[in-house]
């Protein structure tokens, strides 16, 4: 009973650490996107000022930045799922004894394969959401100050 309680508490701790890791990496990725969009706006400031002078709306100026981050979100989701699939495939290979000696990774591999479409779709949706939100915030904040001069 004591061993089972230890395993349960360890599993719960690892689950909580995973959830915290998800939030940390989401915030870090949003900050990276935010800073990247700020640099892109800064590099195109003359072009954006001319667009403003010609009467371009805020959404017309903001749109390409948001679409670009949505595209990057889709590409990053596809790359991350591909890397995960490759690592799981390698880990379940019988010749890769290092992992199979300590952990039964086959159940994870089977779960990944049976839910591949759901995993890929959720990754793409989250990539689009994170990219679009952070790009919207960055363009809203930065375009308000830099193109109005």
């Amino acid at each position: 009973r004591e061993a089972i309680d230890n395993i349960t508490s360890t599993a719960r701790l690892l689950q909580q650490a995973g959830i915290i890791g998800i939030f940390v990496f989401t915030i870090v990725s949003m900050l990276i996107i935010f800073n990247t969009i700020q640099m892109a706006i800064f590099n195109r400031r003359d072009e954006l000022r001319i667009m403003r002078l010609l009467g371009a709306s805020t959404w017309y100026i903001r749109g390409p930045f948001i679409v670009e981050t949505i595209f990057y979100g889709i590409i990053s989701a596809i790359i991350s799922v591909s890397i995960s699939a490759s690592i799981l495939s390698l880990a379940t290979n019988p010749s890769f004894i290092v992992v199979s000696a300590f952990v039964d990774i086959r159940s994870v591999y089977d779960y990944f394969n049976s839910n591949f479409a759901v995993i890929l779709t959720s990754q793409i949706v989250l990539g689009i959401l994170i990219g679009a939100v952070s790009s919207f915030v960055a363009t809203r904040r930065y375009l308000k100050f830099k193109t109005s001069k």
Side-chain angles (χ1 to χ4, degrees), residues 13-29 130:
L13 178 69
L14 290 174
Q15 183 180 21
Q16 291 171 349
I19 291 171
I20 291 170
I22 289 170
F23 285 122
V24 167
F25 284 121
T26 300
I27 291 169
V28 167
S29 67
I130 290 170

Side-chain angles (χ1 to χ4, degrees), residues 3-4 6 13 17 32-33 36-37 54 61-62 74 76-77 84 86 94 97-98 102 104 108 115 134-135 139 144:
I4 292 173
N6 287 339
L13 178 69
I32 289 171
I33 292 170
T36 303
I37 294 298
L54 293 176
I61 296 171
R62 185 182 291 165
I74 293 169
S76 64
S84 297
S86 300
I97 298 173
V98 175
F102 298 106
D104 181 23
V108 175
N115 295 309
S134 57
S135 177
T139 55
K144 186 186 298 182

Side-chain angles (χ1 to χ4, degrees), residues 47-97:
E47 178 183 331
L48 296 175
R49 284 186 187 136
I50 292 170
M51 291 172 72
R52 273 278 199 222
L53 290 172
L54 293 176
S57 69
T58 304
W59 279 104
Y60 187 80
I61 296 171
R62 185 182 291 165
F65 295 107
I66 294 173
V67 170
E68 183 178 352
T69 56
I70 287 172
F71 179 71
Y72 289 146
I74 293 169
I75 297 299
S76 64
I78 292 170
I79 290 172
S80 76
V81 170
S82 299
I83 290 171
S84 297
S86 300
I87 290 172
L88 282 173
S89 178
L90 181 65
T92 56
N93 191 346
S95 63
F96 197 65
I97 298 173

